[in-house]
Amino acid sequence: MTESSQNTLQCLIIGSGPAGLSAALYAARANLNPIVLSGMDLGGQVSKTDAVDNYPGFPEGIDGPELVSLFQKQAERFGAEIVFDSVTEVDLSKRPFKVTTYGGEYLAESLIVTTGASVRELGVPGETEFTGRGVSYCATCDGHFFQEKDLIVVGGGDSALKEGIFLTRFAKSVTIVHRRDELRGGVYLANKAKENPKINFIWDTVVTEIIGDGTVNSVRLKNKKTGEEEVRSMDGVFIFIGHIPNTDLFKGQLEMDENKYLVVDKHMHTSLPGVFAAGEVGDPHFQQVVISAGMGAAAAMEVVEFLEEES
Ligand code: NAP
């Protein structure tokens, strides 16, 4: 839609991860002619995952980008339109809701927010300076640059374990540095990581500085229990310490919890009638592709009911 075209949409979906594309499929099948504003990355986080092993229907697993492409095709088959644009402002003060993007302006009777979450940064000296020069948040994107290199992975959750295992395809060694002595990640990935001969663990330890000369050459580590510090030679640092929900656009307009996740009820309703949310933006707990997809479908079904009740 362009600036001159101000037809009011029945349903506008912000975000194109599993939640957004599943919402699009269901909304399109209900003849709501939804538009999906894709954001910067079509597919969101899953498009940066090499293998999704726990999405039902793919017993051998499936590449993240391939899964996104299938989601997209299926939604488009029923008439959903995907627009490659990002939202800059949202006005939810009255209906139709007004959504401004880099490319134009949209009016919509209902909104489904599926803006997901972004990677959390460590916040240590050297991190910003060396991002793209040894510091990365995406193993699928950057792993191949580190053939036969020594890598640090920061974090103790499923992402650190899964991506650490993936990085052993390229790296000489992967050292997982975790701030506690117990992993947060599940048993399956933990066992796979522990059995991998290229993976070592350093427990109770944090990275306090990333050091380099043009590119990363070492990290400063601090043991949280003993206070001991060491500088260890390293070629790359991959950081997987969780996510921050992408909710800045909705500040002061939709209710959020103390960690800035949207407050969503079990029917995907936000605090404002007509605005629904699905996926990680409203799910601090599960954060799984299959659950996000289910939330997206549920949100679209609720939109149908919401619009029908009004007519
Ligand atoms: P997560 O579960 O929140 O884990 C984040 C990890 O980073 C935790 O171990 C945490 O330590 C650590 N951490 C947080 N802030 C830190 C800091 N400032 N410095 C050092 N360490 C820090 O995040 P995630 O691993 O990205 O997983 C997110 C969700 O996606 C989870 O529900 C997970 O199960 C799911 N997931 C599933 C799969 C799968 O294949 N099944 C793969 C990836 C992700 P503490 O443990 O001490 O808090």
Side-chain angles (χ1 to χ4, degrees):
M1 182 181 282
T2 62
E3 271 178 56
S4 58
S5 168
Q6 285 283 306
N7 293 334
T8 300
L9 299 166
Q10 288 183 284
C11 178
L12 181 65
I13 298 165
I14 307 178
S16 62
L21 294 175
S22 299
L25 169 66
Y26 273 69
R29 281 171 61 85
N31 285 336
L32 295 181
N33 303 316
I35 284 185
V36 178
L37 299 172
S38 70
M40 295 289 278
D41 298 307
L42 179 72
Q45 292 180 57
V46 72
S47 66
K48 294 180 176 164
T49 304
D50 75 305
V52 179
D53 278 327
N54 51 7
Y55 194 79
F58 298 94
E60 305 304 323
I62 179 165
D63 278 357
E66 202 183 331
L67 184 60
V68 170
S69 165
L70 293 174
F71 283 155
Q72 178 187 357
K73 271 190 203 143
Q74 199 170 356
E76 286 176 337
R77 181 177 143 216
F78 293 100
E81 184 185 346
I82 295 166
V83 175
F84 293 85
D85 203 350
S86 292
V87 175
T88 55
E89 208 180 326
V90 169
D91 180 358
L92 306 180
S93 59
K94 61 177 189 301
R95 285 180 64 214
F97 304 119
K98 189 162 98 179
V99 173
T100 309
T101 66
Y102 288 107
E105 204 172 85
Y106 295 79
L107 296 175
E109 288 298 344
S110 71
L111 276 187
I112 302 180
V113 177
T114 66
T115 46
S118 297
V119 289
R120 186 191 301 279
E121 294 178 5
L122 263 181
V124 299
E127 182 178 14
T128 307
E129 184 187 348
F130 292 111
T131 294
R133 292 188 287 152
V135 173
S136 173
Y137 305 85
C138 177
T140 313
C141 319
D142 298 328
H144 63 279
F145 293 122
F146 294 90
Q147 307 284 346
E148 288 304 304
K149 300 289 187 192
D150 294 312
L151 301 179
I152 286 255
V153 163
V154 187
D158 283 325
S159 296
L161 295 169
K162 185 170 185 289
E163 304 304 325
I165 293 164
F166 175 72
L167 286 168
T168 61
R169 293 184 191 192
F170 317 99
K172 183 162 76 187
S173 74
V174 171
T175 303
I176 298 179
V177 177
H178 182 35
R179 65 183 178 183
R180 294 187 291 136
D181 60 4
E182 197 184 328
L183 291 167
R184 179 174 292 277
V187 177
Y188 174 74
L189 286 172
N191 286 343
K192 268 189 90 174
K194 284 175 183 166
E195 285 161 10
N196 190 311
K198 284 190 179 178
I199 295 184
N200 312 298
F201 287 88
I202 300 182
W203 305 104
D204 299 313
T205 297
V206 288
V207 171
T208 55
E209 187 182 358
I210 298 168
I211 304 161
D213 182 9
T215 58
V216 168
N217 59 30
S218 53
V219 291
R220 187 181 302 279
L221 303 174
K222 182 174 184 181
N223 185 299
K224 286 185 73 183
K225 282 190 175 154
T226 63
E228 256 174 66
E229 288 197 37
E230 71 163 303
V231 173
R232 197 177 267 234
S233 291
M234 259 324 133
D235 302 303
V237 183
F238 282 78
I239 299 166
F240 303 108
I241 57 168
H243 303 110
I244 298 171
N246 297 321
T247 51
D248 283 356
L249 282 171
F250 309 101
K251 204 171 161 193
Q253 303 193 75
L254 297 176
E255 193 185 341
M256 297 177 198
D257 71 10
E258 66 280 10
N259 295 316
K260 295 190 181 167
Y261 284 88
L262 293 185
V263 173
V264 181
D265 72 12
K266 66 179 181 183
H267 293 292
M268 309 303 134
H269 295 227
T270 66
S271 54
L272 193 65
V275 181
F276 301 79
E280 198 170 331
V281 72
D283 171 24
H285 186 64
F286 294 110
Q287 304 181 339
Q288 301 292 307
V289 179
V290 64
I291 290 171
S292 291
M295 290 173 81
M301 291 170 78
E302 287 296 302
V303 165
V304 174
E305 201 154 303
F306 173 78
L307 295 175
E308 265 172 9
E309 273 170 15
E310 284 192 326
S311 62

